[in-house]
């Protein structure tokens, strides 16, 4: 039995702590105390050899700078996104603090509520180190099927990009455009995600598997997804600020949409869906965006 520290007690952090506690001793910490049998201080949790960190992409650089001291820990990153202010991927941010062989990144279709219900789930542990990936994979309970992969950048891109497409899918649903439009949007979103990934050397198989198509189909087709709910709110004419306040949770797709906008401009990558999501977040009419997408 291993001792695992979970940092971040939002819905996903609590779900992972719940799942891991089936085979391991789990400590959990967050800024806000939770009713968890082994809720500990951050200092105590950081002493664990194995850590799962769910701190959001837009906050992690500052959090690491203020809180983290490397002491040989192995880390499973369980957040998804691209830093809006710099365009950096999570693996680049963490690499300033932790050797890459001690880093792994979690990907795949997974709603927290279903994990807590012990419903069958399949996930991918992505790492430059096969040993680290297999170690983290071994900690998961029997109702979660784990695969391992070395395509860290592919998992990063799919995990971040699918949230932007999920916002677009929520807008599509909010405008009552129908199932034909939704299927077209998601499939073209996968093509767009793949185009972006090719620019970074991501592997083809990643986009067709659990990390890519699997996570995209889940996140872009259900109101259980907070990014999908962001799209529903935008379609109703609400501002991004009002939508975020209403949801009350971090929606990584918003920050990622801003990051993709800057990267696309810098690198000349054609990302029409992401571009329109960015424009809508900036106040463009969703119906005008729809018209522009169809007529492009």
């Amino acid at each position: 039995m291993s001792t695992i520290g979970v940092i971040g007690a939002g819905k996903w952090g609590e779900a992972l702590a719940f799942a891991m506690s089936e085979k391991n001793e789990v400590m959990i910490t967050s800024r806000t105390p939770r009713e968890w049998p082994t809720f500990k201080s951050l200092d105590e949790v950081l002493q664990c050899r194995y850590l799962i960190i769910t701190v959001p992409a837009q906050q992690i650089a500052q959090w690491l700078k203020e809180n983290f001291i490397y002491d040989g820990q192995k880390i499973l990153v369980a957040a998804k996104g691209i830093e809006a202010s710099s365009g950096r991927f999570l693996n680049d941010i963490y690499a300033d603090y932790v050797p890459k062989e001690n880093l792994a990144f979690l990907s795949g279709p997974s709603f927290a509520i279903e994990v807590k219900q012990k419903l069958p789930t399949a996930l991918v542990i992505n790492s430059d180190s096969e040993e680290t990936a297999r170690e983290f994979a071994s900690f998961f309970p029997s109702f979660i099927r784990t695969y391992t992969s070395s395509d860290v950048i592919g998992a990063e891109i799919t995990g971040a990009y699918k949230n932007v497409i999920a916002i677009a899918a929520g807008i599509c649903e909010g405008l009552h455009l129908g199932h034909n439009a939704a299927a077209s949007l998601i499939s073209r979103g996968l093509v767009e995600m793949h185009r972006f990934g090719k620019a970074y050397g991501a592997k083809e198989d990643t986009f067709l598997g659990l990390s890519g198509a699997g996570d995209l189909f889940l996140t872009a087709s259900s109101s259980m997804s907070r990014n999908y709910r962001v799209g529903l709110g935008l379609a109703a004419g609400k501002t991004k600020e009002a939508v975020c306040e209403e949801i009350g949770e971090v929606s990584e797709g918003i920050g990622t949409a801003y990051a993709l906008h800057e990267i696309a401009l810098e690198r000349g990558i054609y990302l029409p869906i992401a571009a329109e999501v960015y424009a809508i977040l900036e106040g463009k009419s969703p119906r005008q965006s729809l018209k522009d997408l169809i007529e492009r």
Side-chain angles (χ1 to χ4, degrees):
M1 177 178 286
S2 298
T3 301
I4 300 171
V6 177
I7 298 174
K11 291 180 180 178
W12 187 221
E14 287 190 335
L16 288 171
F18 169 81
M20 292 296 190
S21 65
E22 188 169 293
K23 294 170 62 177
N24 311 276
E25 180 184 351
V26 177
M27 301 180 184
I28 190 167
T29 191
S30 74
R31 292 178 301 174
T32 306
R34 293 286 195 272
E35 292 184 6
W36 186 267
T38 52
F39 188 90
K40 302 290 183 179
S41 70
L42 177 59
D43 288 343
E44 289 177 290
V45 171
L46 285 174
Q47 293 175 28
C48 296
R49 174 167 171 74
Y50 299 100
L51 297 175
I52 299 175
I53 302 181
T54 68
V55 178
Q58 308 311 321
Q59 302 168 15
I60 189 58
Q62 189 67 27
W63 185 89
L64 287 166
K65 181 180 179 181
E66 294 177 353
N67 297 286
F68 187 77
I69 298 175
Y70 176 67
D71 189 26
Q73 304 98 323
K74 292 195 173 186
I75 294 175
L76 178 61
V77 179
K80 301 171 182 176
I82 305 173
E83 189 177 53
S85 61
S86 67
R88 290 189 298 170
F89 296 99
L90 289 172
N91 72 85
D92 297 319
I93 297 172
Y94 275 92
D96 289 341
Y97 298 87
V98 183
K100 287 197 171 184
E101 62 268 21
N102 276 16
L103 283 170
F105 298 82
L106 187 63
S107 63
S110 48
F111 283 146
I113 189 171
E114 294 193 359
V115 170
K116 293 187 77 170
Q117 293 171 347
K118 293 190 175 183
L119 295 176
T121 302
L123 297 173
V124 185
I125 316 296
N126 308 271
S127 178
D128 289 334
S129 165
E130 184 177 352
E131 177 187 350
T132 297
R134 291 191 179 280
E135 278 185 288
F136 276 113
S138 71
F139 299 150
F140 281 82
S142 58
F143 67 90
I144 297 180
R145 174 71 165 92
T146 54
Y147 298 83
T148 60
S149 169
S150 61
D151 188 16
V152 170
I153 190 62
E156 282 252 58
I157 288 170
T158 53
Y161 214 117
K162 56 93 181 180
N163 286 329
V164 178
I165 304 302
I167 293 176
I171 294 170
C172 182
E173 174 66 20
L175 294 178
H176 307 293
L177 300 182
H179 298 299
N180 292 348
S184 299
L185 173 69
I186 293 172
S187 59
R188 291 308 302 174
L190 181 59
V191 170
E192 185 171 307
M193 181 194 299
H194 177 250
R195 183 187 302 123
F196 184 80
K198 283 180 67 177
Y200 285 90
K203 296 178 181 178
E204 191 93 16
D205 289 352
T206 301
F207 295 88
L208 299 176
L210 291 167
S211 302
D215 205 2
L216 174 63
F217 294 162
L218 179 75
T219 312
S221 62
S222 172
S223 59
M224 289 172 65
S225 158
R226 67 191 69 172
N227 292 286
Y228 188 90
R229 297 201 303 274
V230 167
L232 291 173
L234 293 171
K238 300 174 184 176
T239 65
K240 63 179 182 290
E241 292 82 9
V243 171
C244 289
E245 184 176 352
E246 186 177 284
I247 292 174
E249 299 175 277
V250 175
S251 298
E252 291 281 23
I254 294 176
T256 298
Y258 280 82
L260 290 175
H261 173 72
E262 293 299 325
I263 294 170
L265 291 177
E266 291 172 8
R267 302 191 58 157
I269 308 173
Y270 182 52
L271 308 175
I273 298 173
E276 292 300 335
V277 170
Y278 165 81
I280 292 169
L281 289 168
E282 284 290 284
K284 183 177 180 179
S285 161
R287 290 199 176 275
Q288 184 60 48
S289 277
L290 171 66
K291 184 173 183 293
D292 292 343
L293 270 176
I294 292 174
E295 295 180 353
R296 75 189 190 280

